Amino acid sequence: MQRLYWDEYTYAEIEGIIKKQPLVILPVGSVEAHGHHLPLNTDMLQPLWLAEEIAKRINALILPPIHYGWTQGLSSFPGTISISFDSLRGFVKDILSEVAKHEIRKIMVLSGHASTNHMAALRLACEDVLKEYKDLKIMLLSDYYIAYQYRGKLVPEDDSHAGIIETSRIMAIRPELVKKNYKFKKNHAGKYTVQVDYKEMVPYATFSNPEGASKELGEKLNNMILEELLKIIKENFGD
Amino acid sequence: MQRLYWDEYTYAEIEGIIKKQPLVILPVGSVEAHGHHLPLNTDMLQPLWLAEEIAKRINALILPPIHYGWTQGLSSFPGTISISFDSLRGFVKDILSEVAKHEIRKIMVLSGHASTNHMAALRLACEDVLKEYKDLKIMLLSDYYIAYQYRGKLVPEDDSHAGIIETSRIMAIRPELVKKNYKFKKNHAGKYTVQVDYKEMVPYATFSNPEGASKELGEKLNNMILEELLKIIKENFGD
Amino acid sequence: MQRLYWDEYTYAEIEGIIKKQPLVILPVGSVEAHGHHLPLNTDMLQPLWLAEEIAKRINALILPPIHYGWTQGLSSFPGTISISFDSLRGFVKDILSEVAKHEIRKIMVLSGHASTNHMAALRLACEDVLKEYKDLKIMLLSDYYIAYQYRGKLVPEDDSHAGIIETSRIMAIRPELVKKNYKFKKNHAGKYTVQVDYKEMVPYATFSNPEGASKELGEKLNNMILEELLKIIKENFGD
Amino acid sequence: MQRLYWDEYTYAEIEGIIKKQPLVILPVGSVEAHGHHLPLNTDMLQPLWLAEEIAKRINALILPPIHYGWTQGLSSFPGTISISFDSLRGFVKDILSEVAKHEIRKIMVLSGHASTNHMAALRLACEDVLKEYKDLKIMLLSDYYIAYQYRGKLVPEDDSHAGIIETSRIMAIRPELVKKNYKFKKNHAGKYTVQVDYKEMVPYATFSNPEGASKELGEKLNNMILEELLKIIKENFGD
Amino acid sequence: MQRLYWDEYTYAEIEGIIKKQPLVILPVGSVEAHGHHLPLNTDMLQPLWLAEEIAKRINALILPPIHYGWTQGLSSFPGTISISFDSLRGFVKDILSEVAKHEIRKIMVLSGHASTNHMAALRLACEDVLKEYKDLKIMLLSDYYIAYQYRGKLVPEDDSHAGIIETSRIMAIRPELVKKNYKFKKNHAGKYTVQVDYKEMVPYATFSNPEGASKELGEKLNNMILEELLKIIKENFGD
Amino acid sequence: MQRLYWDEYTYAEIEGIIKKQPLVILPVGSVEAHGHHLPLNTDMLQPLWLAEEIAKRINALILPPIHYGWTQGLSSFPGTISISFDSLRGFVKDILSEVAKHEIRKIMVLSGHASTNHMAALRLACEDVLKEYKDLKIMLLSDYYIAYQYRGKLVPEDDSHAGIIETSRIMAIRPELVKKNYKFKKNHAGKYTVQVDYKEMVPYATFSNPEGASKELGEKLNNMILEELLKIIKENFGD
């Protein structure tokens, strides 16, 4: 059986693998409330599925995932664990820096969580390392950058956190973790006002109605995102 | 099937579980060279196995693991990824702080990696949180604190990193990841001298000869450590 | 003549003004290359114009502006001055924290520069202060969040940094600073790749063609943005 | 009309100007209580006036000013905004570092505010940059280093914050911002005792009696300081 | 009389001494409660005595000592002064870095205090400097690493902080500071539980019974430790 | 014999002493070049002598001294050891914070070194602690604040580092450490220019000519400073 993960190899094996210049994927998740119907690891399951499918298809290797991310707005919901901006940035920077030191030159940081601050922490980490290693190339994205391109097409324009896309995708990946009894309510928040706790805005930690989600849609979306990602990877890093 | 991990639950489920005051286990690993015969995730596999066995037996829940640790001395070996002291401390502190905020009062941080600086980073993280939550109780250890009590009994006195205990335990947990062709050589380092790169001291990233390791010994050791851990947990946290 | 700026008053005067709970506006700019045709203070002139027009119309007061922002990607262009993420965050946090201490409860941070990292630094600063002052309300935006809503309508879909909107607006605000001889060239950058230096991507520091810009369009845009901003301020903070 | 400020130029223009090695002036102010008679921007108006007069006379360019400084002792007076030591140091360091990167070799940091901690933050920022750029020359001072040389001559020995010199100078620069009804009272503070709040010591945020201030004296002082500054600049940086 | 301390020389003298490549010793202590019978400087007196005896015998020079260390667990006992981990690390790093800059290549950091966190702070400081100066050699230890080798031989197995060894050694070094009326009580602490305050565990700040301590034993121990240290120094640094 | 130092007592003894509210003195020195004639510990010897004389006369106790300070400008002279600004500030803050926690309310920080940055680090440390302990009183000074009042009277106006005052005082305190063969040369440095290395300015690390120094003058000065200090202490802290 193919080993997909960086850390399943001995250091001597990885030395040989590095010579073939694989794409190295760092999956980043978030432990955060996703309504009454989705598990806390929702944002980890999705990039992990993608990373594994990619690693099965091309010359790529997956780093041990970072399960935790910045998700302060949901931090008052039970079970949510938000990492501070600086710790996340530092932790990711250290990983990328070590990987670059070992002569890897193609990295993709793939985050299931897409909140702006979270992504900024990841981007700053990437930038810190890129300044040191001039010939390094890093691709940084959330799979939701791609998924949300299907809004207004396959799903409503306002589909969001714990909505139809996300629910469908988890139904396709880990159906046994999805609960039936979702709850949804959304309150008005002032435009451009900064919120440090989303509890009042989304009392059930669901930002859009998941009604209409299905396993089939999830599989379709997962595959569309996978294909798009593979295409972009090829454009960026070559074959 | 029983869900053992914190993040496999929805936030609403975890809210109910927290009320039963489970022991919450944070497994910490290290991505580091363990000779020519053991995989880079050796220090993650062992505490994960223990954590899962514990969670099957008592009222406990496992947090998503931290795969990376401080392991600077081995950082020049291909594949090794060492997190800086401050990033590790900050990351762990943030996790524990959030868990404590959600009213968890029993935590065990269980690290497969036992290097002094690594453990100091974890301990400072624990202390930072304990100062804030006076009724919180944290147990912090490496399973090697227990395993090394069998030195001079089941294995030679100087058994260490990638030696007989560690090799045996991985043979019992993930036999397919263990390679046969180990290499071992150890050079003299000045007593009490501070080393920032172990490459000269241990050219193959193995600190003691693994010769004599076996799956049977591994199973025996794993179970002895498990029993000892369960006993200490009971003493510290009650039933 | 009406004094619009916070620091043109004595402390005794400001004490009285604070009692009337004005909206306090913090304008943030950036000293950065905007092509061969626009001045380095382009991103400061726009929010300053807006802030002054707002302060003339409603119960509002303008804090001394922060002329500098995070603009690392353009930092190799002569004259560009990029503040590091942490310094910017800390500086803005200190200002907001002091303003909140003086019992101000309505703040708008208005940035002419809209780059994601720059805005993340400002947002984290806002969040840090909001955690301390529970009844404080902060609105944070770039006027380009509004301006870009006119893309695909008044200007091409891809209008951007130093393009038609920006050139037109500066022609309306400070025509004497706009040069005729613009240069424009844009190269392909890998999708989602992290760039620490934009010089290769946009050799003249212009991200979209300014051809077609005019003073009239600038005045129209400035007024449309002003009206929209006044509307949102009213919704968020009341009369 | 001559453009005096760095950021009123395009990057292409500034590229040409840098080649002529101008003196670059960074004016630093403070938003702080100056009694019942002087505006909060008193410490910004003075170095700005000087900077502009200098830039009109010699080969010099003014950077966008930093309006805020460290002024903790007055921070409990309404309107005062004190930046923390570390934020101020970091912000100024970033600016100077970028300016030095663009090949500027003559810098003058000119602060209207002269408190010891404030000046220490600026000095450390300068030093951090000087260590990196060996051929860089930085002059750092408060115009009050010069102004206070006239104590015991033109004004009483103990003239200080918001006293005769400062009031006179603002009367000359922005007369409409000066109020008539000053209040003055000063209490004894223990010698060499560290004070974190000056409110008890100077209940009206005035450290010496402004009685006797006049526009004429202000103009005279401003010009004397200007002449002295021009002389020192010439000595330090040549023609 | 021989001058043993680095700072008793002029800079011109030290310049000459450095050329002979002496071993430079940095003694580190701790201001901490040592029961009712030992003074707060107990952990400083011991390494200072050793350092002086070494400097009398070999080509060595003593840096001014650091009297303070990390000792948080005892910090609630009157008189104890615990330095934070980061301050201690930074302070020691700065000293070592300057000493290495002056071309010293043999350093011994000798700490009377041996707590794990304290030693980790010192070790990280050493490592930070070693990464910069590749040909530098640093020996880091507590004299208690050696002293505790006599446990189970000259003293009971569990002899510890303020116990027989420590009391005896201070009786030999500064007898007039040792009080007769010791108090001793030790309570059970959960195995591997993290303690931030030891007061409940050891109500009199004594970790093992000092009964049986004597000046003679102290002299014997001091000399044994001295001989062992001299031997290791010779092995590590040559003659 | 009277014990003058805080750490010569047991914790139980110090508990009793604290109840009598002694003045607690923290002496701070600097390891820095003082010409060819004075030892590196010159700045430590002077405040230590003062502290001891004070503690013999009034209800006061001396904390273990900090031998190291910020002295970057002299750091290229052999033997000089300059602590970074942040480490010094953090270290002193930790000490003062612990002392205040133990209910001490009268502290004097007495530094033999008087450079502006050094004093700023100490002052910020004091301020950090004063914000926490509202009823704490801290006196911070260098004995040279007093000593320099005799300039133009007992010694020339420009007497300074390693000059007549300093040489005389060390001749009185530790005559055997003073060498005869002083060297002195001073070069012009640009007015208000920031210097990070004083080597060119003062090639022998002496800022003013020590010619004329004598033990008698030193004794006289030491006693005058002592008397002045005692007077100010009485004014600030009462009997």
Side-chain angles (χ1 to χ4, degrees):
Chain A
M1 208 196 96
Q2 194 192 356
R3 282 174 286 164
L4 306 175
Y5 284 88
W6 172 284
D7 60 341
E8 293 186 324
Y9 293 92
T10 67
Y11 87 82
E13 288 174 319
I14 213 92
E15 192 167 21
I17 291 170
I18 287 171
K19 294 209 177 91
K20 297 179 206 155
Q21 277 301 321
L23 172 69
V24 167
I25 307 171
L26 176 60
V28 182
S30 180
V31 178
E32 87 184 27
H34 277 79
H36 277 232
H37 59 300
L38 293 179
L40 294 163
N41 64 358
T42 290
D43 284 354
M44 182 83 273
L45 293 173
Q46 299 171 88
L48 269 185
W49 182 89
L50 286 167
E52 295 188 358
E53 293 305 313
I54 291 167
K56 286 175 194 162
R57 283 166 176 78
I58 65 169
N59 177 24
L61 210 55
I62 310 170
L63 288 168
I66 301 178
H67 299 268
Y68 303 87
W70 184 97
T71 172
Q72 180 193 271
L74 294 166
S75 161
S76 61
F77 287 95
T80 300
I81 295 173
S82 179
I83 299 300
S84 70
F85 189 88
D86 294 324
S87 298
L88 181 61
R89 174 185 179 180
F91 200 82
V92 174
K93 194 220 145 163
D94 291 346
I95 294 173
L96 299 178
S97 177
E98 291 281 273
V99 169
K101 196 186 66 184
H102 291 312
E103 306 292 346
I104 292 296
R105 287 299 169 264
K106 304 174 184 173
I107 299 178
M108 176 168 68
V109 179
L110 183 63
S111 175
H113 185 48
S115 107
T116 322
N117 282 358
H118 173 81
M119 293 306 290
L122 302 185
R123 195 175 326 105
L124 287 168
C126 293
E127 291 171 0
D128 288 342
V129 179
L130 285 166
K131 283 180 211 162
E132 251 184 285
Y133 294 92
K134 300 296 177 190
D135 57 339
L136 175 65
K137 198 166 193 173
I138 305 183
M139 198 179 143
L140 164 68
L141 80 163
S142 169
D143 44 321
Y144 272 82
Y145 289 177
I146 298 175
Y148 283 157
Q149 294 172 1
Y150 308 120
R151 291 201 287 204
K153 295 165 193 166
L154 297 176
V155 299
E157 265 296 358
D158 68 344
D159 190 66
S160 178
H161 177 92
I164 295 175
I165 294 179
E166 200 152 26
T167 305
S168 300
R169 290 179 68 192
I170 300 301
M171 287 170 98
I173 296 171
R174 288 286 296 276
E176 79 279 14
L177 297 182
V178 183
K179 306 292 145 189
K180 302 288 176 208
N181 59 335
Y182 75 86
K183 291 191 183 183
F184 172 63
K185 192 184 170 201
K186 197 169 179 179
N187 297 316
H188 176 75
K191 221 168 178 178
Y192 305 126
T193 56
V194 182
Q195 308 290 331
V196 285
D197 188 346
Y198 301 162
K199 203 143 205 182
E200 208 178 330
M201 189 167 70
V202 284
Y204 304 113
T206 302
F207 284 65
S208 71
N209 201 327
E211 181 102 36
S214 73
K215 191 178 175 174
E216 293 66 38
L217 179 57
E219 280 166 357
K220 187 176 172 181
L221 284 162
N222 282 336
N223 285 316
M224 287 170 76
I225 297 167
L226 174 60
E227 289 312 318
E228 178 69 10
L229 249 181
L230 285 166
K231 209 187 95 203
I232 300 172
I233 288 168
K234 197 172 173 181
E235 284 167 13
N236 281 335
F237 297 110
D239 288 307
Chain B
M1 207 196 96
Q2 193 191 357
R3 283 174 286 165
L4 306 174
Y5 284 88
W6 172 284
D7 60 340
E8 293 185 324
Y9 292 92
T10 68
Y11 86 84
E13 288 175 319
I14 212 93
E15 191 167 22
I17 291 170
I18 287 171
K19 294 210 177 90
K20 296 179 206 155
Q21 277 300 321
L23 172 68
V24 167
I25 305 171
L26 176 61
V28 182
S30 181
V31 178
E32 87 184 28
H34 276 78
H36 277 231
H37 58 299
L38 293 180
L40 295 162
N41 64 359
T42 291
D43 284 354
M44 182 84 272
L45 294 174
Q46 299 170 88
L48 269 185
W49 183 88
L50 286 167
E52 294 187 359
E53 293 305 313
I54 291 167
K56 285 176 195 162
R57 284 166 175 77
I58 66 168
N59 178 24
L61 211 53
I62 310 170
L63 287 168
I66 301 178
H67 299 267
Y68 303 87
W70 184 97
T71 172
Q72 179 193 272
L74 294 166
S75 161
S76 61
F77 287 95
T80 299
I81 295 173
S82 179
I83 300 299
S84 71
F85 189 88
D86 293 325
S87 298
L88 181 61
R89 174 186 180 179
F91 200 83
V92 173
K93 195 221 144 162
D94 291 346
I95 293 173
L96 299 178
S97 178
E98 291 281 272
V99 169
K101 195 186 68 183
H102 291 312
E103 307 291 347
I104 292 295
R105 287 299 169 265
K106 303 173 184 174
I107 299 177
M108 176 168 69
V109 179
L110 183 63
S111 175
H113 185 48
S115 106
T116 323
N117 282 359
H118 173 81
M119 293 305 290
L122 302 185
R123 195 176 325 105
L124 285 168
C126 293
E127 290 172 0
D128 288 342
V129 178
L130 285 166
K131 284 180 211 161
E132 250 185 285
Y133 294 92
K134 301 294 177 190
D135 57 340
L136 175 65
K137 199 168 191 173
I138 304 183
M139 200 179 142
L140 164 68
L141 79 163
S142 169
D143 45 321
Y144 272 81
Y145 290 176
I146 297 174
Y148 283 156
Q149 295 172 359
Y150 308 120
R151 291 201 287 206
K153 295 164 194 166
L154 297 177
V155 298
E157 264 298 358
D158 68 345
D159 190 66
S160 179
H161 177 92
I164 296 175
I165 294 180
E166 201 152 26
T167 305
S168 300
R169 290 179 69 193
I170 299 301
M171 287 170 99
I173 296 171
R174 288 285 299 274
E176 78 280 13
L177 297 182
V178 183
K179 306 291 145 191
K180 302 288 177 208
N181 59 335
Y182 75 86
K183 293 192 182 181
F184 172 63
K185 192 184 171 201
K186 197 169 178 177
N187 297 318
H188 176 76
K191 222 169 178 178
Y192 305 125
T193 56
V194 182
Q195 308 290 331
V196 286
D197 188 345
Y198 302 161
K199 203 142 203 182
E200 206 177 334
M201 188 167 69
V202 283
Y204 304 113
T206 303
F207 284 64
S208 70
N209 201 326
E211 181 102 34
S214 73
K215 190 177 176 175
E216 293 66 37
L217 179 58
E219 280 166 357
K220 187 176 171 181
L221 284 161
N222 282 335
N223 284 316
M224 286 169 77
I225 297 166
L226 174 61
E227 289 312 316
E228 178 69 10
L229 248 182
L230 285 166
K231 209 187 96 203
I232 300 172
I233 288 168
K234 197 172 173 181
E235 283 167 14
N236 281 336
F237 297 110
D239 290 305
Chain C
M1 207 193 98
Q2 192 191 357
R3 283 173 285 164
L4 306 174
Y5 284 88
W6 172 284
D7 59 341
E8 293 185 324
Y9 292 93
T10 67
Y11 87 83
E13 289 174 318
I14 213 92
E15 191 166 25
I17 291 171
I18 287 171
K19 293 210 177 89
K20 299 180 205 154
Q21 278 301 320
L23 172 68
V24 168
I25 306 172
L26 176 61
V28 182
S30 180
V31 178
E32 86 184 27
H34 277 78
H36 277 233
H37 58 299
L38 293 180
L40 295 162
N41 64 359
T42 291
D43 284 354
M44 183 83 271
L45 293 174
Q46 299 171 86
L48 269 185
W49 182 89
L50 286 167
E52 294 187 359
E53 293 305 313
I54 291 167
K56 285 176 196 162
R57 284 166 175 76
I58 66 171
N59 177 25
L61 211 53
I62 310 171
L63 288 168
I66 301 178
H67 298 268
Y68 303 87
W70 183 98
T71 173
Q72 180 193 268
L74 294 167
S75 160
S76 60
F77 287 95
T80 300
I81 296 174
S82 179
I83 299 299
S84 71
F85 189 89
D86 294 324
S87 297
L88 181 60
R89 174 185 179 180
F91 200 83
V92 174
K93 194 218 144 164
D94 290 346
I95 294 173
L96 299 179
S97 178
E98 291 280 273
V99 169
K101 197 185 68 185
H102 290 312
E103 306 292 347
I104 292 296
R105 287 299 168 263
K106 304 175 185 172
I107 300 177
M108 176 167 70
V109 179
L110 182 63
S111 174
H113 184 49
S115 107
T116 323
N117 282 359
H118 173 82
M119 293 305 290
L122 302 185
R123 197 177 323 106
L124 286 168
C126 293
E127 291 172 1
D128 289 343
V129 179
L130 285 166
K131 284 179 208 162
E132 252 184 282
Y133 294 91
K134 300 298 178 189
D135 57 339
L136 175 64
K137 199 167 192 172
I138 305 183
M139 202 178 140
L140 164 69
L141 80 162
S142 168
D143 44 321
Y144 272 81
Y145 290 176
I146 297 174
Y148 283 155
Q149 294 171 2
Y150 308 120
R151 291 201 287 207
K153 294 164 194 166
L154 298 177
V155 298
E157 266 296 0
D158 68 345
D159 189 67
S160 179
H161 177 93
I164 295 175
I165 295 180
E166 202 152 24
T167 306
S168 300
R169 292 180 68 193
I170 300 302
M171 287 170 97
I173 297 171
R174 289 284 298 273
E176 79 280 13
L177 298 182
V178 184
K179 307 288 145 192
K180 303 288 176 208
N181 58 337
Y182 74 85
K183 292 193 183 183
F184 172 62
K185 190 182 172 202
K186 197 171 179 180
N187 297 316
H188 176 76
K191 221 167 177 178
Y192 304 127
T193 55
V194 182
Q195 308 291 332
V196 286
D197 188 344
Y198 301 160
K199 202 141 204 183
E200 205 176 335
M201 192 166 69
V202 284
Y204 304 113
T206 303
F207 285 64
S208 70
N209 201 327
E211 180 100 36
S214 74
K215 190 176 176 178
E216 294 66 37
L217 180 57
E219 279 165 359
K220 186 175 173 182
L221 284 162
N222 282 336
N223 284 315
M224 286 169 79
I225 296 166
L226 174 61
E227 289 312 317
E228 179 69 10
L229 248 182
L230 284 166
K231 208 186 96 204
I232 300 172
I233 289 168
K234 197 172 174 180
E235 283 167 16
N236 281 335
F237 298 109
D239 288 306
Chain D
M1 206 193 99
Q2 194 190 358
R3 282 173 286 164
L4 307 174
Y5 284 88
W6 172 284
D7 60 339
E8 292 185 323
Y9 293 92
T10 68
Y11 87 84
E13 289 174 318
I14 213 91
E15 193 167 22
I17 291 171
I18 287 171
K19 295 209 177 93
K20 297 179 208 156
Q21 278 301 322
L23 171 69
V24 168
I25 306 172
L26 175 61
V28 182
S30 179
V31 178
E32 88 184 24
H34 276 78
H36 277 232
H37 57 300
L38 293 179
L40 295 163
N41 64 359
T42 291
D43 285 355
M44 182 83 272
L45 294 174
Q46 299 170 86
L48 270 184
W49 183 89
L50 286 166
E52 294 187 0
E53 293 306 314
I54 292 167
K56 285 176 196 161
R57 283 166 175 75
I58 66 169
N59 177 25
L61 210 53
I62 310 171
L63 287 168
I66 302 179
H67 300 267
Y68 303 89
W70 184 97
T71 171
Q72 179 193 270
L74 293 167
S75 162
S76 61
F77 286 94
T80 301
I81 296 175
S82 178
I83 299 300
S84 71
F85 188 89
D86 294 324
S87 297
L88 181 62
R89 174 185 178 179
F91 200 83
V92 174
K93 193 218 145 164
D94 291 346
I95 293 172
L96 299 179
S97 177
E98 291 281 273
V99 169
K101 196 184 69 185
H102 291 310
E103 307 292 348
I104 292 296
R105 287 299 168 266
K106 304 174 186 172
I107 299 177
M108 176 169 69
V109 180
L110 182 63
S111 175
H113 185 49
S115 107
T116 324
N117 282 359
H118 174 82
M119 293 306 290
L122 302 185
R123 195 175 327 104
L124 287 167
C126 293
E127 290 172 0
D128 289 343
V129 178
L130 285 166
K131 285 180 208 161
E132 253 184 282
Y133 295 91
K134 301 296 177 190
D135 57 340
L136 175 64
K137 197 165 192 175
I138 305 183
M139 199 179 142
L140 163 69
L141 80 162
S142 169
D143 45 321
Y144 273 82
Y145 290 177
I146 298 174
Y148 283 156
Q149 296 172 358
Y150 308 120
R151 291 201 288 205
K153 295 164 195 167
L154 298 176
V155 298
E157 265 297 359
D158 68 345
D159 190 65
S160 178
H161 176 93
I164 294 175
I165 295 180
E166 200 152 26
T167 305
S168 300
R169 291 179 67 193
I170 299 301
M171 286 170 99
I173 297 171
R174 288 285 297 274
E176 78 280 13
L177 298 182
V178 183
K179 306 290 145 190
K180 304 286 175 208
N181 58 336
Y182 74 85
K183 292 190 184 184
F184 171 64
K185 192 185 171 200
K186 196 168 181 181
N187 297 316
H188 176 76
K191 221 169 177 178
Y192 304 126
T193 56
V194 182
Q195 308 290 333
V196 286
D197 188 345
Y198 302 160
K199 202 142 205 182
E200 208 177 332
M201 191 166 69
V202 282
Y204 304 113
T206 302
F207 284 63
S208 70
N209 202 328
E211 182 100 34
S214 72
K215 191 175 174 178
E216 293 64 39
L217 179 58
E219 279 165 359
K220 185 174 173 183
L221 284 162
N222 283 335
N223 285 316
M224 286 170 77
I225 297 166
L226 174 61
E227 289 313 316
E228 177 70 10
L229 249 180
L230 284 166
K231 208 187 96 205
I232 300 172
I233 288 168
K234 196 172 173 181
E235 284 167 15
N236 281 334
F237 298 110
D239 288 305
Chain E
M1 207 194 97
Q2 193 190 358
R3 282 173 285 164
L4 306 174
Y5 284 89
W6 172 284
D7 60 341
E8 293 186 322
Y9 293 92
T10 67
Y11 88 84
E13 289 175 318
I14 213 92
E15 191 167 23
I17 291 172
I18 287 172
K19 294 211 177 90
K20 299 180 205 152
Q21 278 301 320
L23 171 68
V24 168
I25 306 172
L26 176 61
V28 182
S30 180
V31 178
E32 88 184 26
H34 276 77
H36 277 232
H37 57 300
L38 293 180
L40 295 163
N41 64 359
T42 291
D43 285 355
M44 183 83 272
L45 293 174
Q46 298 170 87
L48 269 185
W49 183 88
L50 286 166
E52 295 187 0
E53 294 305 314
I54 292 168
K56 286 176 196 161
R57 284 167 176 76
I58 66 171
N59 177 23
L61 210 54
I62 310 171
L63 288 168
I66 302 178
H67 299 268
Y68 303 87
W70 183 98
T71 173
Q72 181 192 269
L74 294 166
S75 160
S76 61
F77 287 94
T80 300
I81 295 175
S82 179
I83 300 300
S84 72
F85 188 90
D86 294 324
S87 298
L88 181 60
R89 174 185 180 180
F91 200 83
V92 174
K93 193 217 146 164
D94 291 346
I95 294 173
L96 299 178
S97 177
E98 292 281 273
V99 170
K101 196 185 68 184
H102 290 312
E103 306 293 347
I104 292 297
R105 287 299 168 265
K106 305 174 185 172
I107 300 177
M108 176 167 69
V109 180
L110 182 64
S111 175
H113 185 48
S115 108
T116 325
N117 282 359
H118 174 81
M119 293 305 290
L122 301 186
R123 196 176 324 106
L124 286 168
C126 293
E127 290 172 1
D128 289 343
V129 178
L130 285 167
K131 284 180 209 161
E132 252 184 282
Y133 294 91
K134 300 297 178 190
D135 57 340
L136 175 64
K137 199 166 192 173
I138 305 183
M139 200 178 142
L140 163 68
L141 79 161
S142 169
D143 45 320
Y144 273 81
Y145 289 177
I146 298 173
Y148 283 156
Q149 295 171 0
Y150 308 119
R151 291 201 287 205
K153 295 165 194 164
L154 298 176
V155 298
E157 266 296 358
D158 68 345
D159 189 67
S160 178
H161 176 93
I164 294 175
I165 295 180
E166 201 153 24
T167 306
S168 300
R169 292 180 67 194
I170 300 302
M171 286 170 99
I173 298 171
R174 288 285 296 275
E176 78 279 14
L177 298 181
V178 183
K179 306 290 145 188
K180 303 286 174 207
N181 59 335
Y182 75 86
K183 292 191 184 183
F184 172 62
K185 193 185 170 200
K186 195 168 181 180
N187 297 317
H188 176 76
K191 222 169 176 177
Y192 305 126
T193 55
V194 182
Q195 308 290 332
V196 286
D197 188 346
Y198 301 161
K199 201 142 206 182
E200 207 177 332
M201 190 166 71
V202 283
Y204 303 114
T206 304
F207 285 63
S208 71
N209 201 327
E211 180 101 36
S214 73
K215 191 176 174 177
E216 293 66 37
L217 179 57
E219 279 165 359
K220 186 175 174 181
L221 284 161
N222 282 337
N223 285 316
M224 287 169 77
I225 296 167
L226 174 61
E227 289 312 317
E228 177 70 10
L229 249 181
L230 284 166
K231 209 186 95 203
I232 300 173
I233 287 168
K234 197 173 173 178
E235 283 167 15
N236 282 335
F237 297 110
D239 288 307
Chain F
M1 205 194 98
Q2 193 190 358
R3 284 173 284 164
L4 307 174
Y5 284 87
W6 171 285
D7 60 340
E8 293 187 322
Y9 292 92
T10 68
Y11 87 83
E13 289 175 318
I14 212 93
E15 191 168 22
I17 290 171
I18 288 171
K19 293 210 178 91
K20 298 181 206 153
Q21 278 300 321
L23 171 68
V24 168
I25 306 172
L26 176 61
V28 182
S30 181
V31 178
E32 88 185 26
H34 276 78
H36 277 232
H37 57 301
L38 293 179
L40 295 163
N41 63 359
T42 291
D43 285 354
M44 182 85 272
L45 293 174
Q46 299 170 88
L48 269 184
W49 183 88
L50 286 166
E52 295 187 359
E53 293 305 313
I54 292 167
K56 286 177 196 162
R57 283 166 175 75
I58 66 170
N59 177 24
L61 210 52
I62 310 171
L63 287 167
I66 302 179
H67 300 267
Y68 302 88
W70 184 96
T71 172
Q72 180 193 267
L74 294 167
S75 162
S76 61
F77 286 94
T80 300
I81 296 175
S82 178
I83 299 300
S84 71
F85 189 89
D86 294 324
S87 297
L88 181 60
R89 174 186 179 179
F91 200 83
V92 173
K93 193 219 145 163
D94 291 347
I95 294 172
L96 299 179
S97 177
E98 291 281 272
V99 169
K101 195 185 70 185
H102 291 312
E103 306 293 347
I104 292 296
R105 288 298 168 266
K106 304 175 185 172
I107 299 177
M108 176 169 69
V109 179
L110 182 64
S111 175
H113 185 49
S115 105
T116 324
N117 282 358
H118 174 81
M119 293 306 289
L122 302 186
R123 195 176 325 105
L124 286 168
C126 293
E127 290 172 0
D128 289 343
V129 178
L130 284 166
K131 285 180 208 160
E132 253 184 282
Y133 294 92
K134 301 296 177 190
D135 57 339
L136 175 65
K137 198 166 192 173
I138 305 183
M139 201 178 140
L140 164 69
L141 79 163
S142 169
D143 44 322
Y144 272 82
Y145 290 176
I146 298 174
Y148 283 155
Q149 295 172 0
Y150 308 120
R151 291 201 286 206
K153 294 164 195 169
L154 298 176
V155 298
E157 266 296 1
D158 68 345
D159 190 64
S160 178
H161 176 93
I164 296 175
I165 294 180
E166 201 153 24
T167 305
S168 301
R169 292 180 67 194
I170 300 301
M171 286 170 99
I173 297 171
R174 288 285 297 275
E176 79 279 14
L177 298 182
V178 183
K179 307 288 146 193
K180 304 285 176 209
N181 59 337
Y182 75 86
K183 293 192 183 183
F184 172 64
K185 191 184 172 200
K186 197 170 179 179
N187 297 317
H188 176 77
K191 220 168 178 179
Y192 305 127
T193 55
V194 182
Q195 308 290 332
V196 287
D197 187 346
Y198 301 160
K199 203 142 204 182
E200 207 176 333
M201 191 167 68
V202 283
Y204 304 113
T206 302
F207 285 63
S208 70
N209 202 327
E211 181 101 35
S214 73
K215 190 175 175 178
E216 293 65 39
L217 179 58
E219 278 165 1
K220 185 174 173 183
L221 284 162
N222 283 336
N223 285 316
M224 286 170 77
I225 297 167
L226 173 61
E227 289 312 316
E228 178 70 9
L229 249 181
L230 285 167
K231 208 186 95 203
I232 300 173
I233 288 167
K234 196 172 174 181
E235 283 167 15
N236 281 335
F237 298 111
D239 288 305

